[in-house]
Amino acid sequence: MRGLVLLIAGALALGAQNNAATEKEQGPILRALAEELDRSRTLQLAGVETPYFIEYSLDDLHGFAAVASHGAIISSNATRLRLPRVQVRVGDYGFDNTNYIFSDFFGRIGGARLPLEDDYGVLRHHYWLLTDRAFKGAVEAIARKRSALRNVTVTEEVNDYAKAKPEALVQDLRPISMREGTWTSLARELSALFCHYPALTGSQVEVESSFSNTYYLNTEGTRVRYPDDLFTVRIRAGAQAPDGMPVRDSMGVHARTPGAIPPQPALERLVRELASNLTSLLTAPAGEDYSGPVLVEEAASPQLFAQLIGANLGLTRKPVAEPGRTPPVPSSELEGRMGARILPDWMDIVDDPTQGEYRGHQLLGYFPIDLEGVVPRPLTVIEKGSVKNFLLTRQPVRGFEGSNGRARLPGAFGAKAPVFSNLFVKARETKSAQELKKNLLDMVTQRGKPYGLIIRKLDFPTMATPDELRRLSAASGQRGGATRLTATPMLVFRVYPDGKEELVRGMRFRGLNVRSLRDIIAASDTDNIFDFIGNGSPLPPAGVAGYVSGHTVVAPSVLFEDLELDRIEEDWPKLPVVPAPALASCK
Amino acid sequence: MLKLFSLFLLVTGGSFAQSPLLGLLSEELHRNFQVLSRKADPPAYYIAYAVTDQETANVSATLGVITGNDRRKMRVLDVTVRVGTPALDNYHTIRGEMGHFTAGIPIALDDSPDAIKLKLWSETDRCYRLAAQRLINIRTNKEVRVADKEDSHDFSREQPEKFAAEAPRLLFDDAAWAARMRKLSAPFAKYPSILNSGLAVTAQREVKYLVNTEGTRVSHGQPFSRVTIQAQAKASDGMDLATFDAFTAADPANLPKDAEIAAAVDKVASDLNQLLDAPLVDPFVGPAILSGRAAGVFFHEIFGHRVEGHRLKDESDGQTFAKSVGSPVLPEFISVTFDPTLRQAAGEDLNGFYAFDDEGVKARRVTLVDGGILKTFLMSRTPVPGFESSNGHGRRQPGAEVVARQSNLLVESTKQVPEARLKEMLLEEIKRQNKPYGFYFQEITGGFTNTGRRGIQAFKVIPLVVYRVYADGKQELVRGADIVGTPLASFNKIIATGQKLEVFNGYCGAESGNVPVSAVSPSILVSELEVQKKESSRDRPPLLSPPVISTGASK
């Protein structure tokens, strides 16, 4: 009897909010989760605490990855996982158990896995136990938070959770066709091309396909289910230059549908391009310290905007901490600078997750609804060069309350992290690419410099190891630059007054940050498009795993009046005593 | 003549037919060694390449539905480069550390020369660099610190070996096993107090390849499979309870049939259910019987870890038995042997079987304790004062450096009595010591041991199913018991053993990672065992009652 009553109660609640899909179309997962969610409202502890908000998520993943090197498969594995997340909030929207340093610690359910088959009863059983743990953790966290607040003064009152209207977005499940054999062959064949570039002693091709059904439900009545797929072909290679310096590069080709991955001949061209650039880099001369005009073209321009603007569009909030133990929380360089002019007034930047395609190129940052069930709309973040909007989640931050649907990654202290989607950098005043180059050369001559610099690619996402990043950051801090890292320029060309170009290696930016954008004096009339996978970090690693977000940046080439770069000075590792083995095959 | 030679090889067939991978490893090994032994400074005197090739299939289920079903193939490379001399090289232990050079990197699954050689070359270079750096540090350290009390060398001399045999193909019917796992995991739904439960089956084929610059070339492998049953619950006072059972067989076709697994599922579930209502133990010292499986773990923890040779070299280790060779360490009716060449005991396949250890030394039976007297230690190629050679127990998990580890531990007793008599002896001992009761440890889940000098020299074994035994013979299931103690004290308290051998198959985790092991022992009667209250969480059981369960997948 009891089961039956619950079923009806659940159906009624759903019926009120969701007219899009009938209960039958929703399937056992939505049904089981909705019913357990509903029952969980009755949780109570200490006669006082009951949940005012509960949310359930589920990522239902079918994944496959093949890794190959020099024509041989290193691994080729399918993964089938269902990852649940449960969050319980006690207290109220004004004050709850989140935004406290131990919010994540209590009631954590890390590593939980769900059964792979759709059994209504078993699904409810698992969410029952997860919710129980999350609720008890929430009660403990709010008690400790109240006690911590007795000993610290909080400078301002900000609510803990913003209200949002319930949404219903239940999309149909699409069929999944893994095509393991095809992807494996692709990885093997692309990797075999490196036999033509024997100077590159390390190389690898990774082909990954991930079909994911994302579910989200909360006690406000939101019901979400949509497909969130990602396909990647990633190429990496490296070697040591004659002076010992490690030279590496990577390239990622991404898509949200398998059909949008370029056909094999196009991918082969990309492999050859990467391989020959790297081979040229190995023998290129080391660059010298430079201060002067710099033209940022091709991938380098969107990569730059991803770091300097994209990574600074989310505001963070300091959690309530124990006295004397304030954790360092990374903050945006644009914090507190609403309305400040950071770019020329003929530039605007828009974040638009509603677009799926731009000029025939599939956009990676598209998403229909965020992790908190809020539907996003296009947002002008920079208008006439000035800061207009920040990316917001349901977590209120100083000066802002109310989500604009940008919660795309799990965050810290019970909140979600806002990150950009498709970033469109627009210039209302433009010049042709040739004019830009001519401007550069004119400035070079004017200032009596022997050459100018053109940068075409940055190491973003980065191939650097965590050790190398630490060294880079420390070195940057020592020279008076920001310790906040920006990606190393990979393809840097000296351009001489006669127009001739020469590739150099081993350079890095000095003091590059948001303020540098004020030195942009011109932009091209061309679009450079760059896709990448991020994890919320301003400098994500290439091939990052875990919870990720897709991004596309569209930006014109830009001319900087003044940028500083210097030569990387380090003790490079010695070259191997034993020469590399001779390669046997090359088809 | 050449023709005759190749014919000869064909005729003798199985003795040594080289796998293409062994050939590739050899070629690249010698190409690197040529240069590193002559042109590098410091020169390398030994290099070895070890490849572990694993293919695994897993199916797991809970409450009638599948929770996991996958297959994985991987090949992992471990490189050993030694610079200096066998007397003093880069693996010398300083300040308790032996150095870690190998990385266990993935390499191509097929025998592709370019891909494999490039990885071998770059790993050799990386390991050589680290080796050279550490040797310089060691040489400095040697000059500065007090000379070790008893210097022994860093690398032993051993025979090169040649052998080639591979494990049979992995035959595993995923669909059939999935159906079985669904069916066998479903009965747990009958017990609403059981919060988590599951069954899992794993089948694995592992082949190991090793070549070194002394001329060793071996490839050998074995299959492995296992079914595990586990369940967890929470008592009303918050204590976490668990029960467990497992079946091991080399060939998955020899795993038990449904009826036997179903009976085990039933026992795991009902034991756990009874434990929920069982009374809590109080701290206690007194007589106890450990079942064969429990005794096996007991010996593994309190004895096995203390005879792993390398610990005796390290000044930060307690070195419990360092000076005990030739002296009694166990009662005179007990002997302990380690035998990795044994495939089966008491009708079960043994997890600690191998043909060659992870340094290419041939596996062999080693008598550790004979009539209570300690004879030797488990040895890898790292010599120990008084013991210059390996006895085939150098083992590691891929990615770790080799140290001496256990294999199949076998306890033999000349004071065996039938099980019923052993119980009588327990009752007699309870009365003799004037205790209210004794203990019977039926099922344990392993334990851990601290052999370092810094902590207490102690061990802890974690029991799952424990009974209090009263002087009148009545048994009562209890919960919350942990066995603790110090090794030297516990050993002398063994009074007698049963006759029936039982096998505990599992994994042992220590400095060189997880390695498969087993312990075979009769049940033992101990006059004095210390029982401590288990750590308990004060977390309540779930606040809401379980939701409705329907077993069987519904779509």
Side-chain angles (χ1 to χ4, degrees):
Chain A
M1 265 333 263
R2 187 156 169 233
L4 194 59
V5 168
L6 279 173
L7 207 63
I8 293 171
L12 279 175
L14 286 168
Q17 316 295 344
N18 183 4
N19 33 30
T22 65
E23 196 183 296
K24 185 160 184 246
E25 282 164 12
Q26 291 195 24
I29 295 180
L30 274 174
R31 198 162 58 85
L33 266 53
E35 280 157 28
E36 193 56 28
L37 186 69
D38 214 55
R39 186 173 83 116
S40 301
R41 289 174 205 258
T42 64
L43 279 165
Q44 223 203 45
L45 203 55
V48 172
E49 305 292 359
T50 88
Y52 80 90
F53 175 89
I54 306 175
E55 71 182 15
Y56 284 173
S57 315
L58 173 58
D59 291 304
D60 183 10
L61 290 161
H62 289 79
F64 175 76
V67 179
S69 180
H70 282 92
I73 295 294
I74 294 183
S75 66
S76 163
N77 293 314
T79 308
R80 179 86 185 85
L81 279 180
R82 278 183 171 175
L83 300 171
R85 280 193 310 281
V86 172
Q87 187 186 63
V88 174
R89 291 175 181 256
V90 295
D92 56 48
Y93 290 90
F95 182 85
D96 70 19
N97 51 295
T98 66
N99 301 315
Y100 166 58
I101 47 163
F102 294 123
S103 292
D104 296 328
F105 177 76
F106 293 112
R108 67 197 178 291
I109 59 168
R113 304 279 167 94
L114 289 183
L116 302 177
E117 294 174 333
D118 295 345
D119 183 287
Y120 168 86
V122 180
L123 279 165
R124 283 193 64 171
H125 180 95
H126 279 80
Y127 272 89
W128 162 58
L129 292 173
L130 293 171
T131 314
D132 184 78
R133 200 171 340 159
F135 173 64
K136 287 167 177 162
V139 171
E140 175 117 30
I142 201 174
R144 290 185 59 143
K145 184 181 178 186
R146 284 187 180 120
S147 138
L149 278 168
R150 279 200 276 276
N151 298 321
V152 292
T153 24
V154 177
T155 39
E156 79 239 63
E157 298 286 332
V158 183
N159 288 334
D160 274 332
Y161 205 45
K163 300 219 167 98
K165 70 175 173 65
E167 295 280 355
L169 177 73
V170 180
Q171 293 181 358
D172 288 334
L173 297 175
R174 39 86 198 85
I176 290 172
S177 159
M178 220 32 154
R179 300 166 59 214
E180 295 184 16
T182 313
W183 295 127
T184 306
S185 300
L186 180 66
R188 184 188 283 120
E189 285 163 30
L190 291 177
S191 75
L193 295 173
F194 280 97
C195 78
H196 298 288
Y197 304 89
L200 302 179
T201 48
S203 65
Q204 187 164 285
V205 175
E206 297 146 27
V207 177
E208 294 159 8
S209 95
S210 159
F211 292 90
S212 172
N213 295 324
T214 299
Y215 294 80
Y216 176 82
L217 297 83
N218 68 29
T219 40
E220 292 163 345
T222 294
R223 298 285 181 265
V224 174
R225 178 182 73 198
Y226 68 95
D228 186 11
D229 304 337
L230 184 63
F231 305 89
T232 297
V233 176
R234 187 178 304 107
I235 304 146
R236 308 174 196 247
Q240 274 181 287
D243 61 1
M245 176 175 144
V247 175
R248 290 185 215 100
D249 197 9
S250 74
M251 174 188 300
V253 176
H254 309 284
R256 287 180 293 104
T257 56
I261 292 281
Q264 189 159 333
L267 293 170
E268 288 178 2
R269 266 198 305 279
L270 290 172
V271 172
R272 290 198 190 94
E273 193 184 302
L274 181 125
S276 52
N277 280 341
L278 258 181
T279 307
S280 305
L281 261 178
L282 282 173
T283 51
E288 312 250 308
D289 293 357
Y290 178 88
S291 173
V294 176
L295 177 56
V296 179
E297 288 187 331
E298 296 184 14
S301 175
Q303 286 170 321
L304 199 69
F305 281 101
Q307 291 176 88
L308 294 182
I309 299 289
N312 282 312
L313 290 173
L315 300 171
T316 49
R317 171 175 168 161
K318 282 203 185 62
V320 170
E322 316 278 284
R325 273 213 273 170
T326 321
V329 170
S331 59
S332 159
E333 286 185 65
L334 296 176
E335 174 143 9
R337 301 186 67 201
M338 189 65 149
R341 199 161 71 69
I342 59 164
L343 278 163
D345 59 17
W346 40 266
M347 287 187 83
D348 307 300
I349 303 186
V350 175
D351 178 65
D352 190 357
T354 66
Q355 288 205 44
E357 204 184 87
Y358 178 75
R359 298 198 172 163
H361 182 103
Q362 193 182 73
L363 296 174
L364 209 62
Y366 166 81
F367 67 95
I369 193 166
D370 80 358
L371 293 183
E372 294 176 318
V374 180
V375 174
R377 285 190 225 305
L379 189 71
T380 302
V381 289
I382 306 290
E383 188 171 71
K384 298 202 178 100
S386 301
V387 179
K388 183 104 199 292
N389 274 301
F390 289 101
L391 306 176
L392 300 168
T393 68
R394 290 183 68 171
Q395 179 198 42
V397 294
R398 185 155 55 104
F400 301 90
E401 178 165 334
S403 168
N404 51 31
R406 260 61 181 186
R408 297 186 69 203
L409 292 172
F413 315 121
K416 305 282 186 297
V419 293
F420 71 94
S421 58
N422 299 314
L423 208 64
F424 294 90
V425 180
K426 307 181 197 203
R428 276 175 275 110
E429 291 170 20
T430 62
K431 302 187 175 177
S432 71
Q434 295 93 303
E435 278 183 80
L436 232 53
K437 189 165 176 183
K438 184 172 178 303
N439 281 165
L440 171 69
L441 293 176
D442 288 342
M443 285 194 282
V444 162
T445 317
Q446 241 167 53
R447 297 192 213 170
K449 289 190 142 347
Y451 56 79
L453 286 188
I454 299 181
I455 303 178
R456 298 201 167 106
K457 185 175 183 181
L458 309 180
D459 179 33
F460 179 93
T462 183
M463 285 275 282
T465 62
D467 241 357
E468 286 166 351
L469 288 174
R470 259 194 299 276
R471 282 205 301 276
L472 220 60
S473 174
S476 171
Q478 272 170 8
R479 287 172 1 258
T483 46
R484 191 205 179 93
L485 282 178
T486 45
T488 314
M490 284 292 307
L491 292 179
V492 181
F493 296 84
R494 282 187 197 148
V495 56
Y496 295 93
D498 63 357
K500 202 179 74 124
E501 294 183 6
E502 179 186 31
L503 180 64
V504 293
R505 67 178 160 91
M507 306 221 58
R508 69 183 151 205
F509 287 114
R510 184 189 166 143
L512 182 72
N513 56 28
V514 172
R515 285 177 208 279
S516 315
L517 294 171
R518 298 190 68 141
D519 284 333
I520 293 178
I521 53 171
S524 70
D525 55 9
T526 49
D527 283 323
N528 299 295
I529 305 180
F530 182 75
D531 303 323
F532 72 99
I533 304 293
N535 64 349
S537 150
L539 190 54
V544 62
Y547 213 98
V548 297
S549 47
H551 307 269
T552 301
V553 179
V554 181
S557 304
V558 286
L559 178 62
F560 283 80
E561 178 155 31
D562 238 298
L563 272 186
E564 282 182 43
L565 287 92
D566 54 19
R567 178 196 186 122
I568 301 176
E569 299 276 5
E570 268 196 42
D571 292 326
W572 300 121
K574 291 209 186 86
L575 292 170
V577 182
V578 181
L583 299 182
S585 65
C586 209
K587 287 160 217 155
Chain B
M1 280 314 269
L2 204 62
K3 221 170 164 188
L4 250 174
F5 183 67
S6 56
L7 260 177
F8 178 72
L9 277 178
L10 281 169
V11 161
T12 56
S15 66
F16 187 58
Q18 201 174 112
S19 108
L21 180 61
L22 279 180
L24 286 175
L25 295 176
S26 267
E27 281 168 33
E28 191 57 17
L29 179 77
H30 287 105
R31 192 184 73 89
N32 281 270
F33 191 59
Q34 283 273 14
V35 179
L36 290 175
S37 61
R38 294 176 204 179
K39 300 205 189 118
D41 181 28
Y45 76 87
Y46 173 89
I47 304 180
Y49 291 159
V51 173
T52 307
D53 184 326
Q54 273 180 2
E55 188 183 346
T56 316
N58 279 305
V59 178
S60 58
T62 184
L63 299 169
V65 291
I66 297 296
T67 50
N69 187 350
D70 50 58
R71 281 202 181 236
R72 291 245 173 287
K73 261 196 197 166
M74 62 179 214
R75 262 188 180 176
V76 173
L77 168 70
D78 282 301
V79 171
T80 304
V81 176
R82 289 184 176 254
V83 295
T85 65
L88 183 69
D89 71 19
N90 50 295
Y91 279 86
H92 189 82
T93 305
I94 41 172
R95 276 172 238 131
E97 273 188 64
M98 197 182 62
H100 190 154
F101 310 91
T102 189
I105 60 156
I107 62 166
L109 297 173
D110 49 57
D111 300 337
S112 186
D114 288 352
I116 291 185
K117 286 185 176 182
L118 275 168
K119 279 269 157 65
L120 291 172
W121 166 70
S122 70
E123 264 302 283
T124 309
D125 179 64
R126 191 188 63 77
C127 288
Y128 169 76
R129 258 183 237 293
L130 289 174
Q133 184 59 52
R134 192 163 192 275
L135 184 67
I136 294 167
N137 294 343
I138 289 164
R139 283 175 173 162
T140 321
N141 181 279
K142 245 346 212 197
E143 281 153 25
V144 166
R145 289 164 65 84
V146 169
D148 293 330
K149 289 186 210 105
E150 285 182 51
D151 274 359
S152 54
H153 287 190
D154 286 333
F155 201 46
S156 69
R157 289 187 60 157
E158 304 296 336
Q159 288 260 71
E161 299 282 352
K162 286 208 170 33
F163 185 82
E166 299 208 351
R169 302 250 119 249
L170 181 65
L171 289 170
F172 185 82
D173 185 344
D174 300 70
W177 272 105
R180 290 180 72 186
M181 290 286 104
R182 280 192 200 99
K183 192 174 94 178
L184 293 164
S185 63
F188 278 111
K190 297 200 291 262
Y191 301 86
S193 321
I194 295 184
L195 300 178
N196 288 304
S197 62
L199 258 78
V201 59
T202 299
Q204 181 181 285
R205 170 186 182 263
E206 185 180 81
V207 181
K208 292 189 180 187
Y209 302 83
L210 190 136
V211 300
N212 71 23
T213 45
E214 293 166 347
T216 291
R217 291 223 235 172
V218 298
S219 78
H220 60 105
Q222 41 270 346
F224 163 84
S225 67
R226 187 176 217 221
V227 170
T228 57
I229 305 164
Q230 46 94 8
Q232 288 106 42
K234 210 181 232 299
S236 50
D237 61 4
M239 178 176 282
D240 288 315
L241 300 165
T243 48
F244 177 86
D245 202 355
F247 300 94
T248 307
D251 182 347
N254 294 335
L255 286 169
K257 301 278 176 277
D258 282 4
E260 195 178 338
I261 301 180
V265 167
D266 215 58
K267 181 164 198 301
V268 166
S270 60
D271 276 351
L272 185 58
N273 216 41
Q274 286 176 50
L275 271 173
L276 281 164
D277 297 321
L280 270 173
V281 289
D282 294 312
F284 172 87
V285 178
I289 290 180
L290 277 80
S291 72
R293 271 163 63 148
V297 175
F298 189 67
F299 275 100
H300 175 100
E301 291 301 336
I302 65 171
F303 179 76
H305 280 300
R306 288 181 168 76
V307 293
E308 289 162 347
H310 61 286
R311 295 183 193 284
L312 298 149
K313 245 182 133 148
D314 171 11
E315 68 222 14
S316 76
D317 191 283
Q319 301 178 358
T320 315
F321 292 141
K323 295 285 183 280
S324 303
V325 176
S327 308
V329 294
L330 285 171
E332 46 80 33
F333 56 88
I334 302 264
S335 299
V336 177
T337 312
F338 282 90
D339 192 355
T341 68
L342 199 60
R343 285 184 192 269
Q344 275 206 345
E348 277 192 58
D349 289 336
L350 298 180
N351 222 9
F353 169 85
Y354 54 86
F356 291 88
D357 77 3
D358 292 323
E359 291 176 311
V361 177
K362 200 159 178 175
R364 68 205 64 170
R365 186 183 161 95
V366 179
T367 303
L368 254 290
V369 171
D370 193 9
I373 314 268
L374 181 67
K375 294 295 188 194
T376 183
F377 299 102
L378 295 174
M379 297 292 297
S380 66
R381 289 188 69 167
T382 303
V384 146
F387 298 89
E388 291 304 311
S389 304
S390 164
N391 54 26
H393 278 81
R395 309 182 68 194
R396 59 143 154 233
Q397 184 179 353
E401 294 290 349
V402 171
V403 296
R405 301 290 296 275
Q406 303 180 55
S407 57
N408 293 319
L409 186 160
L410 312 165
V411 177
E412 287 158 332
S413 157
T414 54
K415 204 167 173 195
Q416 294 183 17
V417 300
E419 317 308 308
R421 174 70 193 126
L422 201 68
K423 176 147 185 210
E424 272 175 27
M425 288 172 75
L426 173 66
L427 300 182
E428 285 164 18
E429 193 60 24
I430 292 170
K431 287 179 196 127
R432 194 185 69 76
Q433 290 185 31
N434 224 344
K435 299 275 177 182
Y437 47 74
F439 276 92
Y440 169 49
F441 293 87
Q442 186 186 80
E443 206 58 69
I444 39 63
T445 188
F448 54 90
T449 303
N450 178 13
T451 62
R453 249 176 234 203
R454 251 188 239 144
I456 306 165
Q457 275 282 306
F459 68 90
K460 203 171 182 208
V461 168
I462 299 158
L464 292 180
V465 179
V466 184
Y467 294 87
R468 258 199 296 244
V469 181
Y470 292 91
D472 64 1
K474 284 223 186 60
Q475 286 191 174
E476 173 188 41
L477 185 68
V478 290
R479 66 184 169 97
D482 271 348
I483 304 172
V484 294
T486 50
L488 298 175
S490 305
F491 284 143
N492 296 326
K493 310 288 170 59
I494 303 174
I495 300 175
T497 76
Q499 291 173 327
K500 189 162 142 314
L501 289 179
E502 283 184 356
V503 174
F504 181 90
N505 274 319
Y507 284 86
C508 173
E511 294 93 324
S512 60
N514 287 329
V515 295
V517 294
S518 78
V520 184
S521 174
S523 49
I524 59 175
L525 170 62
V526 183
S527 66
E528 198 177 284
L529 203 63
E530 186 178 342
V531 166
Q532 164 178 295
K533 237 185 196 166
K534 193 201 228 325
E535 221 175 85
S536 173
S537 126
R538 284 201 337 261
D539 212 18
R540 284 163 214 234
L543 297 165
L544 298 178
S545 58
V548 175
I549 292 282
S550 66
T551 54
S554 60
K555 302 251 157 70

